[in-house]
Amino acid sequence: MIAVVRTALLQCIAFGVALAVQSLLPLSTAILIWAASLTAGALAAVCFRRWWMVLLHASMPPMCMLALVGDMPPWLWLVAAVLTWAIGAGAFRHQVPLFLSNRQALRQLEPLIPEGAHVLDLGAGTGTVLAWLARRRPDLTLAGVEMAWLPWCIGWLRLRRHAVVWRRADAFAIDLSAYDVVYAYLSPAPMSALWRKACAEMADGAVLISNSFGIEGVPPQKQYPVGDWKQSELLVWHPKSHLQQPPRP
């Protein structure tokens, strides 16, 4: 809810700035919309610092105007709604958009997984991580879960020739006790819930690896910079051993 309020507030500020400029200068409606768009994009760059959020906020004002004056057929809105749900079901339930692990992250992840491990990719998207590991680590037992229909279908097509258990389900409904390594590339919002689940279900010696997103109040036991333009890093915890550590004085 905080993210939704922040997003709405950012757009309101952008339109407020554009209206203030219009009161000082004789701007047309089109220029007003583009001024609001540029302002929203600049504010998003400061507040979110992720390229897709900047693009989303910068495009929102002109898209709203196009929707109002573009005389689009009604069925187009239904198609857009269905596609949005098919791609971003995780964003609606757990505030987890579709993130895809890049090659740098995959190269860094591969040697971190012990030989013969049972690996689960939570929120596996289009199966990128599992397809990579299936080709390069035949010693691993691989499984993935994705809730959104369209990424899951793409993943099913990619993984159908590999020995991978591929499920369409809510990641937080999966029992983690059978896995030696759990990999997640989610978002900041569900990380605390994931940590509680990992501590309750994962076995002794099991490893939780998060791409980029940390857990509030729980520093990672190891960090591995990915070396990409996003300054990503792999964060590693051993939940059971972390719980057994004595409290700091």
Side-chain angles (χ1 to χ4, degrees), residues 59-116:
S59 61
M60 193 177 298
M63 288 177 65
C64 289
M65 181 56 64
L66 180 63
L68 291 173
V69 303
D71 193 24
M72 296 182 179
W75 59 264
L76 190 61
W77 302 112
L78 177 60
V79 172
V82 171
L83 283 176
T84 300
W85 174 80
I87 296 172
F92 297 120
R93 182 171 298 184
H94 298 299
Q95 300 182 49
V96 179
L98 178 62
F99 289 124
L100 302 179
S101 300
N102 57 34
R103 287 181 176 271
Q104 293 96 317
L106 296 175
R107 292 191 185 100
Q108 189 69 261
L109 172 66
E110 183 181 336
L112 299 181
I113 301 175
E115 185 175 355

Side-chain angles (χ1 to χ4, degrees), residues 113-121 130 133-134 137-144 163-165 178-181:
I113 301 175
E115 185 175 355
H118 287 66
V119 181
L120 174 66
D121 187 359
L130 298 172
L133 293 176
R137 293 290 304 274
D139 60 295
L140 301 178
T141 301
L142 301 172
V164 176
V165 177
Y179 301 98
D180 304 305
V181 177

Side-chain angles (χ1 to χ4, degrees), residues 126-214:
T126 59
T128 301
V129 173
L130 298 172
W132 176 282
L133 293 176
R135 291 193 300 269
R136 290 164 173 78
R137 293 290 304 274
D139 60 295
L140 301 178
T141 301
L142 301 172
V145 57
E146 172 58 42
M147 184 165 58
W149 272 105
L150 186 56
W152 180 86
C153 288
I154 296 173
W156 180 81
L157 291 172
R158 295 178 71 179
L159 298 170
R160 68 188 189 280
R161 297 179 181 176
H162 299 289
V164 176
V165 177
W166 184 242
R167 298 179 59 185
R168 198 198 74 81
D170 185 340
F172 285 84
I174 302 300
D175 185 359
L176 306 182
S177 61
Y179 301 98
D180 304 305
V181 177
V182 174
Y183 174 80
Y185 191 9
L186 302 177
S187 79
M191 291 306 296
S192 293
L194 176 59
W195 175 247
R196 292 191 295 270
K197 181 176 177 64
C199 291
E201 298 177 3
M202 294 185 72
D204 291 339
V207 181
L208 173 64
I209 303 176
S210 171
N211 188 330
S212 301
F213 301 116

